[in-house]
Amino acid sequence: MKKAAKHLLWIGILTALATAAFAETRTISWDPVTTYTDNTPIEAGKTVSYTAYWTTDIGLSLASLHTIGTSLTTTSTTFDPTVQGMTRGGTVYFTAKAVLNTGEESALSPAYAWIVPLITPPPPVTPPPPSKAPPSAPTGGMIIRR
């Protein structure tokens, strides 16, 4: 049982490492919102946060929006296209809105198109030929004490 648990532990660790090796993160950023639509400045004491979205619908239908980040106090966010469910090689559209701490919300920003890059997995590692393989550890025998 202990031997099986050790093997499962190593399989879990290797799986986690393999997943991390293929993870891909991207960052989307935008300019800070400092004024209202009539160009008057946002009053002191009011804070701005952002919600970023993506969709495959160029019309930015509210029903089709997928949230990348919400209540963001910075003007960027990082995401993984695979985790978000973006189709590799397909076009997605990003949009965002600003939200004041008073609850006022901006309209959605214009759509920004992006083609989700394809991922090419790294080539498999081939073992060296037997003549160049490192020596293997002995599998049995005795240790002689000197």
Side-chain angles (χ1 to χ4, degrees):
M1 182 67 171
K2 284 186 180 181
K3 193 173 188 178
K6 284 183 185 178
H7 288 300
L8 289 176
L9 175 64
W10 276 110
I11 290 170
I13 291 170
L14 293 174
T15 302
L17 292 174
T19 303
F22 292 111
E24 174 194 15
T25 58
R26 298 293 178 131
T27 300
I28 184 170
S29 61
W30 52 89
D31 293 327
V33 173
T34 58
T35 63
Y36 292 99
T37 54
D38 65 0
N39 285 329
T40 58
I42 295 174
E43 300 85 1
K46 289 187 177 180
T47 57
V48 182
S49 63
Y50 305 93
T51 301
Y53 305 96
W54 74 272
T55 182
T56 55
D57 175 18
I58 193 165
L60 302 179
S61 161
L62 292 177
S64 72
L65 296 177
H66 302 272
T67 304
I68 297 173
T70 189
S71 300
L72 302 167
T73 57
T74 60
T75 55
S76 67
T77 189
T78 301
F79 63 95
D80 182 324
T82 301
V83 171
Q84 285 288 324
M86 297 175 180
T87 302
R88 297 294 178 163
T91 301
V92 297
Y93 303 92
F94 294 106
T95 186
K97 70 178 176 180
V99 181
L100 294 178
N101 61 330
T102 57
E104 298 166 271
E105 294 184 3
S106 72
L108 292 173
S109 67
Y112 175 80
W114 181 60
I115 297 173
V116 183
L118 299 172
I119 288 185
T120 305
V125 178
T126 55
S131 63
K132 300 204 181 202
S136 60
T139 57
M142 296 183 291
I143 298 175
I144 300 173
R145 191 175 198 176
R146 296 185 194 252

